[in-house]
C-alpha cells in the first residue's frame, strides 16, 4: 500500500462528501452550521482531485500477493505460483489522469449545485443538501472504483439518492415519477447483479482488471455462453443507469421533477454512470464482435429518439432533459468506435456535456426561480426581466449545439473526425444533422421564454436571481470557453485513459 | 438425488425472478408489485450466493488444526456471502422507500392502483 500523502487523497474524494452527508443529517435545524460545513466541503470537492497523486488505493492495505512477499511466503504454491498472486484481494480504486479531469468537473458541478441549493432552498439544514453530497460521493466512487460490485453498491446508493432528490422537490407528480423509476430499477438492478454474479461464477472475481485479465489470458473460455449472458445483463443495467432507450423517457421525467440544481447533479450521475459502465463493458467484453456495434446502435437510437422527443415538449425542464439524454449518444458513438481518437472524443464530450447541461439547468432554473413556471406556453419576455441570465443561457445553448469556439464544438468535431477515420462517415453526417435539430429545439424554447412578448398573467415572484447562481453560470461559461479554445487541456488528460482501453 | 444443491438453488432463483417479473408487469396493486420486486431481488441474491457453493465443501472458517492446503481446497468461496449481505441491505432500503412513497400516494389519492396512479394520463408520466 502506498503511503504517499497525495495517494491517500484518493479514497478521501469519496469519504469526505460521504461523511459530510452523514454529519449534515444529524444537524437538522441548524441552518448556519450546515451552511458553513457545506461551503467548506463543497469547496474541497474540485480541489481534492487536483491535489491527489496518480496511483492505486488498495483498501485495507491488501495489495496483490505478488507485491506482498511477507504473506505470500507462507502460502501454498498452488496460490503463489498461479494467477491468484496477481489478483486484487480487496476493493481497489484507480486514479489516473482521465479520472482526475472527470472528478474535477464533477467537483465543480457539485460545488455550484450545492451553493445554489444553499441560497435557493429555504431550509439548508433539510435533507436536500445531504442528498447532494451523498450523490457527489457516489458518483466519485463510480469513477474511481475498479471493483464491479463496489460500482453496483454505489450505483444503488446514487439511484436511491436520485429518488430522494425528486421527492423533496415538491414538483407536481414527483412521487409518481420516483415510484415508476424505482419499479423499473427494481428489475434492472437485480439484472445487473446477476450479470456480476455470473462474472464472479466464471472468473471467481469482482475486480474488473482481474476479470479482464482472466478473459484475455484464456484462464476462462472467452466464448462461454455464461459470459455472453453476463454481457447482456450488465448491458441492461447500463441502459437503465444511464437512461438509454428504453429508459430514456423515465430518465428525462426524473430530471424534470427535480429542482434545477438537483437536476444538474442527476445528469452528472447519468453521464458518469454511462462512461464508467461503458468503459467496463469495453474492458471486459470488448473482444466480442457485437459489443461495439451494439454501443453505436443504442447510442444512435438514444440520440434520434431523445432529440426528436425534445422538439414536442412544452416544459423547458423536459426539453433540456431529453436533449441531455440525446447528448449521451454522442459519447456512446465515441466509445463504440473503439479507437483511441474515438474514445478520447467520447470522453471529452462526456466532460463537456456534464458542464453544459448543468449550465442549462441552472440557467433555465433562474426562470423557474423568478416565475415558478416551466411551461414555455405560459412564459415570455424574460429577456427584459433578466438580460444577463438570458445572454448566459443563449451561450449555454450554443455550447450544447456545438457552436465554435465553445467546448462541444471541439468534442463534436473530434467525434466526426474519428468517424471519418474509422470509415463510417454516415455517423458523422447523422451527428451533424442531430446537432442542427438540437440547436433548433433550444432556440424554440429560448424564443418562447425570452424573446416573445410577456403574457399578461405571468407574474414575477422574485425580482433578483441569487448571485451565486449567476457566478455558477459564469464559471460554467469560463470552462466552456477554456475547453473550446484550448481543447488540448482536456484531451491531454483523457487520451491516456482512452489509449489504455484500446 | 435428483439434482445437486447448487442446481436446485439456481433453479429456485430463476423461478423467483420469473415469478417476480411476471408479478411486477401484470399486477395492478402497488403493494403486490413491490412484493413481486422483492421476489426478483431475492432471486438475484440466491443466484449470487449459489455462486459460492462448493460440493462437499466446508464453511470458510479457519479452525485450529486445519492445514492451509486442505482449507484452501475444501472451503467454500466466501466472497459471494459477503456480497449478498450488502445486496440484502440495499434491497431492504429500496423496498422501504418504495413502500413509503406508496403510503404518501395512498393518502393523496386514496388508491394503490398502478394503472390509476402511474398510468399514461397521470402527471407522474
Amino acid at each position: 500500500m502506498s503511503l504517499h500523502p497525495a495517494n491517500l487523497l484518493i479514497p478521501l474524494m469519496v469519504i469526505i462528501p460521504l461523511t459530510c452527508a452523514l454529519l449534515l443529517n444529524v444537524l437538522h435545524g441548524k441552518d448556519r452550521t450546515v451552511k458553513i460545513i457545506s461551503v467548506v466541503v463543497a469547496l474541497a470537492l474540485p480541489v481534492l482531485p487536483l491535489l491527489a497523486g496518480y496511483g492505486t488505493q488498495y483498501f485495507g492495505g491488501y495489495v496483490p500477493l505478488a507485491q506482498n512477499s511477507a504473506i505470500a511466503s507462507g502460502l501454498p504454491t498452488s496460490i503463489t505460483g498461479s494467477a491468484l498472486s496477481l489478483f486484487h484481494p480487496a476493493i481497489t480504486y484507480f486514479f489516473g489522469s482521465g479520472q482526475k479531469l472527470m472528478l474535477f468537473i464533477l467537483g465543480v458541478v457539485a460545488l455550484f449545485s450545492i451553493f445554489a441549493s444553499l441560497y435557493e432552498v429555504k431550509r439548508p439544514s433539510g435533507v436536500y443538501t445531504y442528498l447532494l453530497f451523498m450523490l457527489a460521493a457516489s458518483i466519485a466512487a463510480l469513477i474511481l472504483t475498479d471493483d464491479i460490485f463496489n460500482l453496483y453498491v454505489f450505483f444503488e446508493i446514487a439511484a436511491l439518492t436520485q429518488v430522494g432528490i425528486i421527492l423533496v422537490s415538491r414538483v407536481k407528480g414527483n412521487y409518481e415519477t420516483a415510484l415508476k423509476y424505482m419499479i423499473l430499477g427494481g428489475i434492472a438492478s437485480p439484472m445487473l447483479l446477476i450479470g456480476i454474479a455470473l462474472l464472479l461464477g466464471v472468473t471467481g472475481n469482482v475486480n474488473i482488471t482481474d476479470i479482464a485479465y482472466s478473459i484475455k489470458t484464456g484462464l476462462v473460455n472467452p466464448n462461454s455462453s455464461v459470459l455472453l449472458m453476463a454481457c447482456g445483463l450488465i448491458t441492461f443495467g447500463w441502459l437503465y443507469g444511464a437512461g438509454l432507450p428504453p429508459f430514456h423517457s423515465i430518465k428525462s421525467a426524473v430530471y424534470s421533477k427535480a429542482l434545477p440544481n438537483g437536476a444538474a447533479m442527476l445528469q452528472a450521475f447519468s453521464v458518469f454512470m454511462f462512461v464508467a459502465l461503458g468503459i467496463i463493458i469495453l474492458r471486459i467484453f470488448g473482444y466480442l464482435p457485437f459489443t461495439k456495434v451494439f454501443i453505436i446502435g443504442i447510442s444512435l437510437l438514444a440520440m434520434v429518439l431523445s432529440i426528436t422527443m425534445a422538439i414536442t415538449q412544452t416544459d423547458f425542464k423536459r426539453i433540456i432533459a431529453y436533449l441531455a439524454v440525446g447528448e449521451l449518444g454522442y459519447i456512446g458513438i465515441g466509445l463504440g468506435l473503439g479507437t483511441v481518437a474515438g474514445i478520447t472524443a467520447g470522453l471529452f464530450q462526456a466532460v463537456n456535456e456534464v458542464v453544459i447541461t448543468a449550465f442549462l439547468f441552472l440557467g433555465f432554473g433562474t426562470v423557474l426561480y423568478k416565475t415558478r413556471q416551466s411551461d414555455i406556453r405560459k412564459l415570455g419576455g424574460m429577456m427584459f426581466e433578466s438580460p444577463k441570465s438570458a445572454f448566459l443561457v443563449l451561450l449555454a445553448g450554443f455550447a450544447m449545439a456545438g457552436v465554435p469556439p465553445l467546448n462541444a464544438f471541439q468534442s463534436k468535431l473530434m467525434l466526426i473526425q474519428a468517424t471519418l477515420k474509422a470509415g463510417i462517415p454516415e455517423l458523422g453526417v447523422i451527428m451533424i444533422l442531430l446537432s442542427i435539430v438540437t440547436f433548433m429545439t433550444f432556440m424554440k424554447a429560448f424564443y418562447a421564454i425570452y424573446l416573445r412578448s410577456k403574457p399578461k398573467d405571468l407574474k414575477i415572484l422574485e425580482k433578483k436571481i441569487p448571485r451565486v447562481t449567476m457566478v455558477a453560470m459564469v464559471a460554467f461559461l469560463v470552462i466552456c470557453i477554456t475547453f473550446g479554445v484550448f481543447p488540448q487541456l482536456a484531451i491531454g488528460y483523457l487520451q491516456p485513459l482512452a489509449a489504455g482501453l484500446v | 438425488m435428483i439434482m445437486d444443491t447448487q442446481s436446485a438453488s439456481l433453479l429456485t432463483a430463476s423461478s423467483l425472478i420469473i415469478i417476480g417479473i411476471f408479478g411486477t408487469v401484470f399486477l395492478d396493486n402497488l403493494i403486490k408489485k413491490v412484493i413481486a420486486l422483492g421476489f426478483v431481488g431475492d432471486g438475484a441474491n440466491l443466484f449470487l450466493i449459489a455462486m459460492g457453493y462448493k460440493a462437499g465443501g466446508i464453511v470458510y472458517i479457519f479452525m485450529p488444526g486445519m492445514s492451509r492446503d486442505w482449507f484452501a481446497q475444501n472451503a467454500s468461496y466466501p466472497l459471494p456471502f459477503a456480497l449478498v449481505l450488502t445486496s440484502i441491505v440495499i434491497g431492504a432500503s429500496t423496498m422501504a422507500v418504495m413502500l413509503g412513497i406508496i403510503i404518501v400516494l395512498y393518502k393523496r389519492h386514496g388508491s394503490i392502483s398502478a394503472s390509476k396512479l402511474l398510468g399514461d394520463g397521470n402527471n407522474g408520466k
Side-chain angles (χ1 to χ4, degrees):
Chain A
M1 179 185 169
S2 172
L3 291 174
H4 192 277
N7 274 0
L8 283 175
L9 291 177
I10 297 171
L12 288 183
M13 286 180 253
V14 178
I15 293 168
I16 288 179
L18 201 67
T19 314
C20 175
L22 297 173
L23 185 65
L24 295 187
N25 214 19
V26 295
L27 291 172
H28 188 72
K30 294 173 181 164
D31 287 344
R32 197 177 152 75
T33 316
V34 165
K35 259 192 180 179
I36 293 168
I37 295 173
S38 302
V39 166
V40 172
V41 177
L43 282 170
L45 292 179
V47 177
L48 281 172
L50 297 180
L51 297 178
Y54 298 139
T56 307
Q57 169 70 27
Y58 301 102
F59 276 80
Y62 296 110
V63 296
L65 283 175
Q67 294 173 34
N68 191 341
S69 51
I71 294 180
S73 60
L75 291 173
T77 49
S78 58
I79 295 173
T80 53
S82 68
L84 286 173
S85 63
L86 300 171
F87 289 165
H88 300 74
I91 293 170
T92 310
Y93 277 5
F94 178 73
F95 183 71
S97 60
Q99 284 83 352
K100 181 176 244 182
L101 182 65
M102 286 192 259
L103 283 164
F104 170 71
I105 292 296
L106 168 69
V108 172
V109 172
L111 167 73
F112 288 116
S113 294
I114 290 164
F115 270 31
S117 80
L118 288 176
Y119 290 92
E120 286 178 12
V121 174
K122 281 180 186 165
R123 293 210 68 182
S125 67
V127 290
Y128 193 60
T129 320
Y130 152 81
L131 290 166
L132 290 178
F133 274 112
M134 195 57 118
L135 190 56
S138 309
I139 303 170
L142 291 179
I143 296 170
L144 285 169
T145 191
D146 195 27
D147 182 295
I148 197 164
F149 189 79
N150 191 248
L151 178 132
Y152 167 77
V153 171
F154 277 103
F155 164 66
E156 284 289 313
I157 295 172
L160 270 177
T161 314
Q162 282 195 87
V163 168
I165 287 175
I166 307 166
L167 292 181
V168 298
S169 71
R170 294 186 183 176
V171 176
K172 195 180 172 192
N174 59 342
Y175 276 81
E176 290 84 347
T177 302
L179 187 61
K180 260 190 185 180
Y181 183 68
M182 290 195 87
I183 289 172
L184 288 172
I187 294 178
S189 297
M191 294 302 125
L192 178 60
L193 183 63
I194 295 169
I196 294 168
L198 288 174
L199 279 181
L200 176 69
V202 174
T203 65
N205 245 311
V206 282
N207 183 282
I208 298 152
T209 305
D210 297 344
I211 294 170
Y213 175 85
S214 300
I215 294 171
K216 210 174 271 179
T217 55
L219 285 174
V220 295
N221 175 14
N223 298 316
S224 144
S225 54
V226 181
L227 274 179
L228 293 179
M229 194 184 274
C231 177
L233 291 167
I234 290 174
T235 306
F236 187 70
W238 178 58
L239 299 181
Y240 166 73
L244 294 169
F247 301 105
H248 62 293
S249 194
I250 185 70
K251 197 66 166 187
S252 60
V254 163
Y255 294 160
S256 67
K257 300 295 177 196
L259 293 174
N261 45 59
M265 283 296 286
L266 297 185
Q267 62 84 26
F269 162 69
S270 298
V271 173
F272 286 125
M273 179 67 193
F274 181 87
V275 170
L277 212 45
I279 286 176
I280 290 170
I281 291 170
L282 276 181
R283 282 179 71 189
I284 299 177
F285 304 109
Y287 70 93
L288 294 169
F290 56 80
T291 309
K292 289 167 190 163
V293 177
F294 178 80
I295 294 176
I296 290 178
I298 201 76
S299 302
L300 269 177
L301 195 64
M303 285 162 76
V304 174
L305 283 179
S306 302
I307 295 173
T308 47
M309 282 182 89
I311 305 170
T312 60
Q313 303 302 315
T314 52
D315 184 307
F316 66 69
K317 285 199 288 178
R318 206 72 193 253
I319 293 173
I320 312 166
Y322 270 117
L323 289 180
V325 175
E327 291 288 306
L328 284 178
Y330 289 91
I331 308 168
I333 286 181
L335 294 180
L337 286 174
T339 59
V340 176
I343 297 173
T344 308
L347 294 174
F348 189 22
Q349 173 66 16
V351 168
N352 291 340
E353 197 202 323
V354 169
V355 176
I356 295 166
T357 317
F359 190 177
L360 274 174
F361 270 122
L362 287 190
F364 277 125
T366 59
V367 177
L368 188 69
Y369 181 77
K370 290 187 100 171
T371 62
R372 307 281 187 276
Q373 184 60 259
S374 60
D375 189 334
I376 59 172
R377 292 168 300 185
K378 295 174 184 169
L379 286 162
M382 293 305 290
M383 176 69 97
F384 304 104
E385 289 295 332
S386 44
K388 285 180 197 165
S389 163
F391 179 65
L392 289 167
V393 169
L394 184 66
L395 289 176
F398 283 171
M400 182 174 256
V403 174
L406 298 162
N407 52 354
F409 163 71
Q410 295 289 358
S411 51
K412 287 184 177 176
L413 183 67
M414 281 176 65
L415 276 169
I416 292 164
Q417 285 170 341
T419 57
L420 293 175
K421 265 187 197 170
I424 324 172
E426 298 85 352
L427 283 178
V429 175
I430 294 171
M431 284 194 284
I432 293 170
L433 289 175
L434 288 171
S435 278
I436 295 169
V437 180
T438 301
F439 186 66
M440 280 164 53
T441 311
F442 167 77
M443 284 313 292
K444 176 193 143 194
F446 187 82
Y447 172 78
I449 297 168
Y450 290 100
L451 303 176
R452 200 171 55 181
S453 58
K454 186 180 159 192
K456 283 178 186 168
D457 54 346
L458 180 66
K459 287 180 185 164
I460 306 297
L461 301 170
E462 301 278 351
K463 285 283 171 201
K464 274 193 167 181
I465 297 167
R467 193 175 291 171
V468 69
T469 309
M470 293 302 288
V471 171
M473 288 163 69
V474 172
F476 288 140
L477 178 64
V478 169
I479 296 174
C480 289
I481 294 173
T482 308
F483 284 168
V485 178
F486 307 106
Q488 209 53 41
L489 275 178
I491 296 165
Y493 281 100
L494 299 170
Q495 213 157 23
L497 175 60
L501 294 172
V502 177
Chain B
M1 204 192 304
I2 299 169
M3 66 172 75
D4 64 52
T5 312
Q6 190 174 37
S7 304
S9 302
L10 293 175
L11 190 69
T12 312
S14 312
S15 310
L16 280 170
I17 292 166
I18 292 166
I19 293 167
I21 292 175
F22 182 85
T24 310
V25 174
F26 292 105
L27 294 176
D28 190 50
N29 184 313
L30 282 172
I31 300 284
K32 287 181 184 173
K33 252 189 209 303
V34 171
I35 294 170
L37 285 172
F39 271 46
V40 181
D42 290 342
N45 288 338
L46 184 59
F47 197 92
L48 182 56
I49 213 162
M51 291 295 141
Y53 178 77
K54 188 181 177 81
I58 59 157
V59 177
Y60 46 86
I61 301 172
F62 189 70
M63 303 295 284
M66 285 182 185
S67 83
R68 286 187 174 196
D69 269 335
W70 184 86
F71 181 77
Q73 281 166 13
N74 291 288
S76 58
Y77 192 34
L79 186 60
F81 298 88
L83 302 185
V84 88
L85 272 177
T86 317
S87 180
I88 288 168
V89 174
I90 292 169
S93 324
T94 310
M95 191 175 278
V97 175
M98 276 197 279
L99 290 172
I101 296 173
I102 293 170
I103 291 170
V104 174
L105 287 175
Y106 179 71
K107 283 183 180 169
R108 282 187 186 173
H109 304 282
S111 168
I112 47 170
S113 159
S115 55
K116 193 174 171 187
L117 296 175
L118 311 178
D120 286 342
N122 194 283
N123 260 321
K125 184 180 156 185

